[in-house]
Amino acid sequence: MVTTTQEVSDRRRSRIPFPVAFALPLALVERNARAARHFWLTIVSGFFEPVFYLFAMGVGIGALVGDVMVDGVAIGYGVFVAPALMATSAMNGAVYDSTQNVFWKLRFAKTYDTALSTPMRPTDVAIGEISWALLRGLIYSTAFLAVAAIGGFVHSWWALLAIPACTLIGLAFASVGMAATTYMSSWTHLEYVQLAILPMFLFSATFYPLSTYPAALQWVVQATPLYHGVDLVRGLMLGDLHAGLLVHVAYLAIFGTVGIWATAKRIERLLLT
Amino acid sequence: MIKAVGLRKSFGDFTAVDGIDVEVAPGESFGFLGPNGAGKTSTMKIIGCTSPASGGTIRILGMDPASQASKIKARLGVVPQEDALDADLTVFENLLVYGRYFGLPRATVRARAEELLEFAQLVDKRDEIVEKLSGGMKRRLTIARGLINTPQIVLLDEPTTGLDPQARHILWDRLFRLKREGVTLVLTTHYMDEAEQLCDRLVVMDKGRIVAEGSPRALIAEHASREVLELRFDVADHAERAADVEGIGARVEVLADRLLLYVENGDVALEQVTARGVHPMSSLVRRASLEDVFLRLTGRSLIE
């Protein structure tokens, strides 16, 4: 059979992994961005929650607590808690987008059924949806960092790296969250998400150092993803760089990759039957 | 365009499509006619590459959905049974976003979307959120959306179900236009009049199998008669009056509320009925339709 130019270009196109391979997931990002313009107030409100926490904790409670000892160095409580709030809000945003919003689109709005009737594949849907969560998170993290810096809670230029770090946290939680959402069949199941999120928020060395826990419990805390996120962001914001941060990065990256893979598999099983 | 041989689809123990052979030619309007649960939608999903076949072979535009789904989908227009429009977006945005799902350049999609607004008669609804549209408008938008990639084959799953008569006629008119432009249409329906209006050729499906195939006219000629005489009696069970009219026409069909006599000439048959001293409460002479074909083939009426 004679190979047409069309076929040749098709073949060539499939060999380029980037950015052409990213065009379809981006279409879903574009869809979400357009939808967000109609709900801009919800988007804006996402910024305030961590900022309110920062001032309540950092300024209010910080005045009562005084300084916290981290590796033998005394730092203000606000400085200690700001990175944790930044990491937590990255988690919360990612989880909200990938559970509530995805559940609605998956079960009711049929957004993904529609997308899958086009050349979009389940992987494109997974990557597109998670990318959107990350993009939104990126805006929040940047804004939070700016507010924290103005409030005097940031002491190092390394803090700028906390922004991509938060994107990585977002990736880990959004992808696993979205995979988990594909198993949910009713709104009540979404309540379980809070059950997983809240203890992590409270106990991942967020509000006090890991050394507060007895050794056995420290292991448990260190196993949770938010701990890695908090410690990573804290290290960067305090300018306290060490090899341990790379472990955090690896942990979150693996979490994220497995999540995307699982999400794509699940969407395929649910919608392409 | 589409060629299926021994196509099967099962979900666990349930067989939705039970070995069907289908061939659709370019430019043809092809229909799957049958009651709910006949396997029409399952077949459409296989053709739309959103559901893998359980057995048999299928080629769409010469390609195999198992390995080239995305390439096939790029050249298909899909109009699903539920509109599944994007409720978070406006009419125009629905078209834009869907076009972008095909990886088409923004400018191309934009120009095409403007044309399709015109086609769907939705120009003045351009910036409305889709929730505010009527059922007929939503359906037209869904069809317009399915055309954004200038598809070679358009799949329509029950295109006019749930629409009022006026909205149906507007929709049929739009589909005629597509057909004239040479687009291959594949549709499912459980409406006889729709199948007669839109399909060059159709298959009648029942319980996952094809029970008849042909043009609407040929099917009526083969499985019904030219006219049908409907008789209603003031009785609880019309079966008890069937014997009274036996022998008039080719066949008598007993329904819950009437008798159907398949005849060449309805008026002549009615005279014969009265000549026997049988006086129905009411009578009606009409042309035979696909409904009669279906009844003949399956012993059941199409919409229970």
Side-chain angles (χ1 to χ4, degrees):
Chain A
M1 210 178 101
V2 181
T3 310
T4 64
T5 46
Q6 174 68 29
E7 279 173 293
V8 169
S9 74
D10 279 348
R11 210 173 297 156
R12 197 170 293 152
R13 206 177 302 148
S14 63
R15 282 210 191 124
I16 305 170
F18 193 88
V20 176
F22 212 62
L24 295 182
L26 270 180
L28 195 60
V29 173
E30 190 177 326
R31 181 254 161 225
N32 288 340
R34 283 187 179 279
R37 290 207 302 210
H38 299 287
F39 305 103
W40 61 273
L41 207 61
T42 337
I43 304 286
V44 172
S45 69
F47 159 76
F48 288 101
E49 190 185 306
V51 170
F52 289 163
Y53 265 110
L54 177 63
F55 285 95
M57 298 283 174
V59 181
I61 295 179
L64 300 174
V65 175
D67 287 352
V68 181
M69 295 298 286
V70 178
D71 298 333
V73 185
I75 53 171
Y77 188 66
V79 176
F80 174 79
V81 90
L85 291 171
M86 188 169 166
T88 306
S89 88
M91 169 183 81
N92 281 336
V95 166
Y96 183 80
D97 258 332
S98 66
T99 57
Q100 303 276 343
N101 288 351
V102 164
F103 185 69
W104 170 254
K105 291 179 196 169
L106 182 67
R107 300 281 172 181
F108 297 96
K110 306 276 177 202
T111 313
Y112 308 135
D113 296 73
T114 302
L116 291 176
S117 68
T118 73
M120 288 253 250
R121 295 158 306 165
T123 320
D124 300 321
V125 169
I127 293 177
E129 198 59 64
I130 291 162
S131 302
W132 165 250
L134 299 186
L135 203 67
R136 193 170 154 177
L138 186 70
I139 298 166
Y140 293 150
S141 309
T142 309
F144 180 89
L145 188 66
V147 172
I150 293 166
F153 301 112
V154 181
H155 288 172
S156 162
W157 281 103
W158 288 108
L160 285 174
L161 281 182
I163 295 173
C166 280
T167 305
L168 189 60
I169 296 170
L171 172 69
F173 282 98
S175 63
V176 172
M178 189 166 173
T181 304
T182 61
Y183 287 97
M184 298 176 191
S185 53
S186 81
W187 291 103
T188 11
H189 292 158
L190 286 169
E191 309 276 330
Y192 301 146
V193 173
Q194 286 311 311
L195 221 58
I197 293 299
L198 192 65
M200 272 200 273
F201 171 50
L202 294 172
F203 303 123
S204 299
T206 347
F207 298 107
Y208 40 83
L210 184 67
S211 55
T212 316
Y213 292 108
L217 266 181
Q218 285 189 17
W219 281 105
V220 177
V221 171
Q222 283 179 299
T224 66
L226 185 60
Y227 166 77
H228 292 273
V230 167
D231 207 57
L232 174 61
V233 174
R234 187 170 281 146
L236 292 167
M237 276 175 77
L238 296 175
D240 175 22
L241 272 61
H242 53 90
L245 298 188
L246 292 176
V247 175
H248 299 325
V249 170
Y251 181 104
L252 294 169
I254 291 169
F255 220 71
T257 312
V258 171
I260 290 179
W261 175 79
T263 303
K265 284 276 164 228
R266 285 287 302 163
I267 288 182
E268 181 163 357
R269 172 171 294 189
L270 279 184
L271 302 182
L272 297 179
T273 50
Chain B
M1 300 299 263
I2 300 171
K3 187 174 166 65
V5 179
L7 193 65
R8 288 172 47 79
K9 179 73 197 181
S10 41
F11 300 96
D13 289 340
F14 174 69
T15 304
V17 180
D18 196 4
I20 62 168
D21 300 338
V22 173
E23 194 162 357
V24 181
E28 191 174 29
S29 277
F30 187 87
F32 290 94
L33 179 73
N36 292 332
K40 304 183 305 269
T41 299
S42 297
T43 307
M44 288 294 257
K45 284 191 170 168
I46 297 173
I47 299 173
C49 308
T50 53
S51 172
S54 311
T57 58
I58 182 160
R59 293 289 176 277
I60 299 144
L61 297 160
M63 294 180 276
D64 183 356
S67 56
Q68 292 175 293
S70 283
K71 270 193 190 174
I72 298 171
K73 287 173 179 177
R75 292 155 75 183
L76 291 184
V78 178
V79 181
Q81 204 170 329
E82 318 89 30
D83 293 325
L85 290 165
D86 203 320
D88 296 341
L89 303 175
T90 65
V91 169
F92 193 65
E93 285 176 328
N94 259 278
L95 296 174
L96 279 190
V97 162
Y98 195 74
R100 298 285 290 155
Y101 288 166
F102 286 87
L104 299 169
R106 210 167 270 125
T108 314
V109 177
R110 207 166 260 284
R112 182 83 179 132
E114 298 284 4
E115 279 172 34
L116 288 170
L117 277 185
E118 200 87 44
F119 172 82
Q121 297 164 313
L122 289 169
V123 176
D124 52 337
K125 299 286 174 190
R126 193 177 188 279
D127 298 316
E128 293 267 13
I129 290 282
V130 294
E131 274 311 290
K132 293 180 183 162
L133 301 185
S134 70
M137 289 175 181
K138 281 185 185 169
R139 215 81 255 272
R140 287 193 326 257
L141 178 57
T142 309
I143 292 174
R145 186 181 70 177
L147 298 173
I148 196 86
N149 57 327
T150 328
Q152 285 168 279
I153 304 175
V154 178
L155 307 177
L156 302 129
D157 197 0
E158 303 200 357
T160 65
T161 299
L163 298 185
D164 61 59
Q166 198 198 351
R168 292 179 76 192
H169 279 281
I170 297 177
L171 212 74
W172 285 348
D173 172 67
R174 299 293 93 179
L175 295 178
F176 269 131
R177 246 187 69 178
L178 279 182
K179 189 166 141 45
R180 268 208 310 278
E181 287 166 15
V183 178
T184 305
L185 301 180
V186 177
L187 59 111
T188 72
T189 183
H190 54 223
Y191 293 120
M192 300 299 145
D193 51 349
E194 184 156 283
E196 292 185 67
Q197 284 273 342
L198 293 177
C199 300
D200 300 325
R201 209 156 55 81
L202 58 93
V203 290
V204 180
M205 279 187 85
D206 189 44
K207 294 174 183 159
R209 293 170 183 275
I210 289 176
V211 290
E213 178 178 356
S215 71
R217 194 178 288 255
L219 284 172
I220 292 167
E222 188 180 344
H223 299 286
S225 52
R226 201 172 71 87
E227 291 188 338
V228 181
L229 173 61
E230 297 195 359
L231 301 175
R232 285 168 199 268
F233 293 93
D234 189 17
V235 287
D237 184 1
H238 276 74
E240 47 190 81
R241 304 308 297 266
D244 298 349
V245 295
E246 197 60 58
I248 302 173
R251 201 158 48 85
V252 179
E253 198 75 55
V254 182
L255 297 187
D257 59 342
R258 66 206 135 123
L259 296 177
L260 303 181
L261 275 65
Y262 291 91
V263 296
E264 273 312 297
N265 185 320
D267 294 320
V268 171
L270 186 57
E271 278 169 28
Q272 288 175 311
V273 169
T274 8
R276 286 190 187 186
V278 178
H279 297 285
M281 203 170 65
S282 69
S283 63
L284 170 77
V285 175
R286 61 168 173 83
R287 283 180 56 222
S289 73
L290 284 171
E291 173 86 48
D292 301 300
V293 172
F294 190 80
L295 193 66
R296 173 71 199 271
L297 290 169
T298 68
R300 289 171 296 118
S301 64
L302 200 55
I303 304 166
E304 275 108 15

